[in-house]
Amino acid sequence: MKTETLGRFLAARLFLSMRSYSLMLSAPGPETVIDGVSYLYFGGTGYLGLATHPEVVEAGCDALRKYGVHSATSRGRFGTNPPVLEVERRAAEFFGTEDAFYFGSGYAGNHILVSATADRMEAVLLDESSHYCVQEAARLPGVPVITFRHGDPEDLRRVAAPWGRVLVMADAVGPSDGGTAPVTEYLEVLKTREQAVLLLDDAHGFGVLGPDGRGLLDELGLWPQVNGGESADSDSPVRLAVCGTLAKALGGFGGVIPGTAAFVEKARSSSHYFDGSSAPASAVAGSTAKALELVIRQPELRQRLQENITRLRGGLRDLGLNPPPGRTAHFGVALEKAETMRGIYEALKSKGILLPYIAAYSGIPPQGILRFAVFADHMPEQIDHLLSELRSLL
Ligand SMILES: Cc1ncc(COP(=O)(O)O)c(C=O)c1O
């Protein structure tokens, strides 16, 4: 190691020894360098494995050279540059919608959607285990926020009973456990309301679930009804709204709301993310547009991801570890005791495999979980290696 590199490495180690988090020293992928050690990595969210794709990286560099770091003004005036528009065009193509709104972070998506849909709502009904960004956005309308039990349509019915117009908010896919919301049952419960919006954050479903990779609502055959789309039952008082991120499966960065032209226009104009915040950075937009193009052009990416998901989930079932049902690329397995899971995490780590043990996050049980994530670019033998090491520990 050169002296300068060694110096930087030691400085990073010293800095880290004072912190509770780790330092990722390479791009995320099947092999990821963390705190100076290269691991076979089953963490995070880069499900389609595009973060280091040469075309994605080059498109980011190209946008940076052409447009500078950012437009230095909001999109409402002069701040919309071609890479940002290209993301919106590609996102609309991927999601099969008339338009899409692209903004700096998926975290803001619920905020934007609440602003666009919560007019005259009497109450917000919130799944108790929702992601932090859903919980925070739920307070925006300034009406009572009532929680219902996680994923429980009957409890939703109970809390909805006294109200007329309600906004219901939940994760479509749990960020840690990979559980999916019982959307069809929620719609059934809500159809007797005077008016209702079911607002779902599908950060982890976009790019993974459904025949066209458009997320949980695509998997459930409800995609045509989303974000201004036609409801199958035109008398239904329930509207479906969804937001997500391009920073997980879809290999880019930033939040996205696809929908009809009218709906997306409303999303752009109901809050001030469009005219009061910088457009997403040029390099990030350039890379994100290219990643979307690749996902559209190469359906085999999603196919490979699904094969890996099947392999990992099946292998875990054979070990008696029972991953939750579903076809998500990430999921949590909770064993009875935190010490057992921490022990598995440490033992795997000592063998060069990083499988995160998550002690606390929105929606996970008190003892924590082992959180599995699998990518399209994991090799089958890498998955088998994880399974075989796990077998030796159980
Ligand atoms: C359910 C959910 N929504 C939103 C986000 C935030 O998305 P982004 O990282 O694009 O801000 C996350 C990220 O962890 C998430 O899990």
Side-chain angles (χ1 to χ4, degrees):
M1 220 185 255
K2 282 202 200 131
T3 321
E4 192 195 340
T5 317
L6 180 65
R8 253 189 272 133
F9 176 71
L10 290 175
R13 289 305 282 248
L14 177 66
F15 177 70
L16 268 177
S17 65
M18 304 183 303
R19 306 244 149 202
S20 60
Y21 52 80
S22 292
L23 199 60
M24 188 179 271
L25 294 166
S26 68
E31 276 159 31
T32 302
V33 182
I34 293 175
D35 299 341
V37 180
S38 177
Y39 291 101
L40 176 54
Y41 182 62
F42 290 92
T45 63
Y47 309 126
L48 287 168
L50 288 167
T52 53
H53 192 290
E55 288 185 51
V56 172
V57 173
E58 187 44 40
C61 295
D62 190 43
L64 184 58
R65 278 190 293 265
K66 278 193 189 135
Y67 303 103
V69 174
H70 55 69
S71 57
T73 184
S74 77
R75 295 193 56 194
R77 291 190 176 270
F78 312 109
T80 301
N81 59 25
V84 168
L85 269 195
E86 182 64 2
V87 173
E88 296 191 327
R89 193 177 73 75
R90 289 286 180 193
E93 185 183 348
F94 175 74
F95 287 103
T97 50
E98 288 172 347
D99 199 356
F101 178 25
Y102 175 45
F103 43 91
S105 146
Y107 200 96
N110 295 275
H111 184 146
I112 294 169
L113 269 190
V114 166
S115 308
T117 60
D119 264 6
R120 301 187 307 115
M121 288 296 165
E122 293 168 17
V124 176
L125 312 178
L126 172 71
D127 182 310
E128 64 185 358
S129 295
S130 304
H131 189 266
Y132 306 122
C133 61
V134 180
Q135 300 191 33
E136 287 170 8
R139 296 188 209 113
L140 280 172
V143 296
V145 176
I146 301 119
T147 53
F148 60 94
R149 274 198 302 275
H150 176 50
D152 185 340
E154 282 316 307
D155 206 43
L156 172 61
R157 190 190 303 282
R158 180 184 67 79
V159 299
W163 306 99
R165 299 185 301 274
V166 291
L167 172 66
V168 180
M169 297 180 70
D171 297 327
V173 175
S176 303
D177 67 5
T180 50
V183 179
T184 317
E185 290 83 345
Y186 287 169
L187 292 176
E188 189 59 29
V189 166
L190 294 173
K191 73 178 188 197
T192 55
R193 301 285 93 213
E194 178 185 332
Q195 192 187 324
V197 175
L198 175 56
L199 195 167
L200 297 164
D201 180 330
D202 206 4
H204 295 266
F206 279 9
V208 178
L209 297 177
D212 293 310
R214 294 168 185 164
L216 180 63
L217 298 165
D218 186 22
E219 180 146 302
L220 297 173
L222 294 166
W223 187 255
Q225 301 177 39
V226 160
N227 292 352
E230 276 294 304
S231 168
D233 172 3
S234 54
D235 292 335
S236 170
V238 192
R239 285 176 291 143
L240 261 177
V242 71
C243 58
T245 183
L246 300 165
K248 301 192 186 299
L250 289 166
F253 198 85
V256 69
I257 297 176
T260 61
F263 187 91
V264 171
E265 187 44 41
K266 190 148 191 230
R268 288 199 181 104
S269 58
S270 306
S271 68
H272 289 283
Y273 278 87
F274 190 80
D275 64 358
S277 164
S278 296
S282 314
V284 153
S287 287
T288 303
K290 180 56 76 176
L292 280 166
E293 184 197 321
L294 289 174
V295 178
I296 295 164
R297 207 170 74 205
Q298 301 180 359
E300 62 273 20
L301 278 173
R302 289 194 292 112
Q303 176 62 31
R304 229 177 290 141
L305 176 60
Q306 282 305 328
E307 284 162 15
N308 283 347
I309 292 170
T310 304
R311 190 177 196 96
L312 179 59
R313 283 175 171 269
L316 291 173
R317 269 195 298 276
D318 292 346
L319 295 180
L321 276 181
N322 289 333
R327 302 186 328 130
T328 55
H330 75 291
F331 48 87
V333 169
L335 303 181
E336 203 183 331
K337 293 203 173 107
E339 303 88 88
T340 316
M341 290 185 281
R342 210 186 297 275
I344 290 174
Y345 161 72
E346 293 292 353
L348 288 175
K349 200 170 167 205
S350 72
K351 294 176 174 211
I353 300 175
L354 208 138
L355 173 70
Y357 164 66
I358 314 271
Y361 201 76
S362 63
I364 66 170
Q367 76 272 34
I369 53 162
L370 289 168
R371 182 188 187 278
F372 293 79
V374 67
F375 309 147
D377 52 348
H378 273 120
M379 302 304 287
E381 43 286 12
Q382 292 177 315
I383 297 171
D384 293 348
H385 182 49
L386 167 67
L387 291 167
S388 126
E389 291 297 345
L390 268 174
R391 182 176 300 111
S392 70
L393 294 170
L394 293 171

